[in-house]
Amino acid sequence: MIKNISPGCIFVDILYFCKSHPDCLRSSQVVMDMFTCFISKIIDMKKLMMTAILVATCLGMMNAQTAQKQVVEEGGTGPFKSEVVGDASCPGFTVYRPQNLKEVVAKHGALPVIVYANGACFNNNVEMRLLLSEVASYGYVAAAIGPYDEADVMAQWRGVLRSAYPETKGEVVMANGEKILPLTPDEIKARQEEQAKQREAAAKKAKKTKKQQPAVPQFRTYPKMLLEVLDWLTDQNAASGSEYYHCLDLDHVAAMGQSCGGA
């Protein structure tokens, strides 16, 4: 069988082989081997070309691309009004930064960086959105673990507000203008019944597995994520087409967190 024919010499090799071994052309097996090898080389070339296309596409998407953003509490009380950003090239994190970042840096120089981990090691920074927005308004770029998801953020705050004030007679207005009313008596009763069922099921399960080793808690985030987002920020600071190009003072980086995220 013919092997190791380089793609650039496929036709030359076939012609040379036919000229040097005319008798072998009578063998259908040899012809089939040549054809099979020829097709396999074409497939390999196509795979190589597709890989090159994918690499080129990925390289084109490496630069920061703001996909979503919002202003929380009028951008904070600091001298630089802040914004919350979800970036397509870093979907697992949320960035808090001054608005008009390039203009701020042009006037005041590169900004120090904060990487933030959440309480309970949650993969969501919604509980600290006000705090991180406030910090960013004083001239920091803070990258927090957890994707930017406005629908999820509002859903969580809705649940928190309704649960935290079950007896209030007033109404709470969310940042998006939505009015939140307290839980009704029927909703409170249904929630209490569901919680009682969950406690009962947990007690039965604990009794069955009493002699087993307790399971290791599985958190949705891990400490290395802070280094991963710092690597991303470092790459963006060096990429000429990035929104963060030469905007970050990477000599001044702080790690910040709450509870599990601070441990």
Side-chain angles (χ1 to χ4, degrees):
M1 181 177 288
I2 301 173
K3 297 180 179 179
N4 299 324
I5 300 178
S6 62
C9 301
I10 292 174
F11 296 104
V12 175
D13 287 345
I14 290 176
L15 290 174
Y16 178 79
F17 183 89
C18 293
K19 185 176 180 180
S20 303
H21 305 82
D23 294 337
C24 291
L25 291 176
R26 298 171 187 172
S27 169
S28 60
Q29 182 61 47
V30 172
V31 175
M32 183 58 69
D33 288 345
M34 292 168 60
F35 179 75
T36 301
C37 185
F38 175 71
I39 294 299
S40 69
K41 292 301 179 182
I42 291 178
I43 293 174
D44 289 343
M45 292 174 69
K46 284 186 176 180
K47 288 180 178 178
L48 183 61
M49 184 175 294
M50 287 301 297
T51 300
I53 292 173
L54 287 172
V55 170
T57 302
C58 290
L59 287 174
M61 294 180 65
M62 283 177 64
N63 285 346
Q65 302 173 46
T66 296
Q68 298 169 298
K69 65 180 178 179
Q70 69 166 179
V71 176
V72 176
E73 291 290 325
E74 299 181 349
T77 62
F80 314 108
K81 295 306 178 183
S82 65
E83 61 185 2
V84 187
V85 175
D87 198 287
S89 67
C90 192
F93 299 85
T94 305
V95 178
Y96 298 79
R97 68 189 189 189
Q99 300 174 32
N100 304 315
L101 182 62
K102 294 285 187 182
E103 295 179 13
V104 171
V105 171
K107 293 180 181 179
H108 302 279
L111 305 181
V113 171
I114 295 172
V115 289
Y116 179 83
N118 307 298
C121 293
F122 284 151
N123 192 36
N124 191 308
N125 52 76
V126 61
E127 291 187 353
M128 290 297 163
R129 183 152 289 191
L130 295 177
L131 172 64
L132 294 171
S133 296
E134 179 72 9
V135 170
S137 74
Y138 282 87
Y140 293 88
V141 173
I145 293 175
Y148 180 107
D149 188 336
E150 185 59 27
D152 183 56
V153 167
M154 290 303 175
Q156 290 198 44
W157 273 115
R158 189 181 298 111
V160 169
L161 290 171
R162 299 198 74 199
S163 299
Y165 309 105
E167 298 178 356
T168 180
K169 301 301 180 182
E171 63 182 24
V172 178
V173 180
M174 297 177 67
N176 64 349
E178 180 182 349
K179 294 181 179 180
I180 302 298
L181 297 175
L183 293 172
T184 65
D186 289 340
E187 288 174 325
I188 294 174
K189 182 179 179 181
R191 175 171 292 194
Q192 290 172 343
E193 291 175 350
E194 179 62 28
Q195 290 173 344
K197 290 179 181 179
Q198 292 175 353
R199 286 194 295 269
E200 184 179 354
K204 289 181 179 179
K205 184 177 180 181
K207 189 175 181 180
K208 289 180 180 180
T209 60
K210 189 175 181 181
K211 295 182 179 180
Q212 298 180 4
Q213 280 297 105
V216 177
Q218 296 296 315
F219 299 115
R220 298 178 61 188
T221 62
Y222 47 90
K224 190 179 177 183
M225 292 178 75
L226 296 179
L227 296 178
E228 291 172 353
V229 74
L230 183 58
D231 286 342
W232 178 77
L233 289 169
T234 300
D235 291 341
Q236 297 306 317
N237 194 55
S240 59
S242 170
E243 297 175 9
Y244 300 93
Y245 181 57
H246 288 178
C247 289
L248 308 177
D249 180 1
L250 295 172
D251 289 330
H252 294 85
V253 177
M256 176 180 171
Q258 177 206 4
S259 190
C260 177

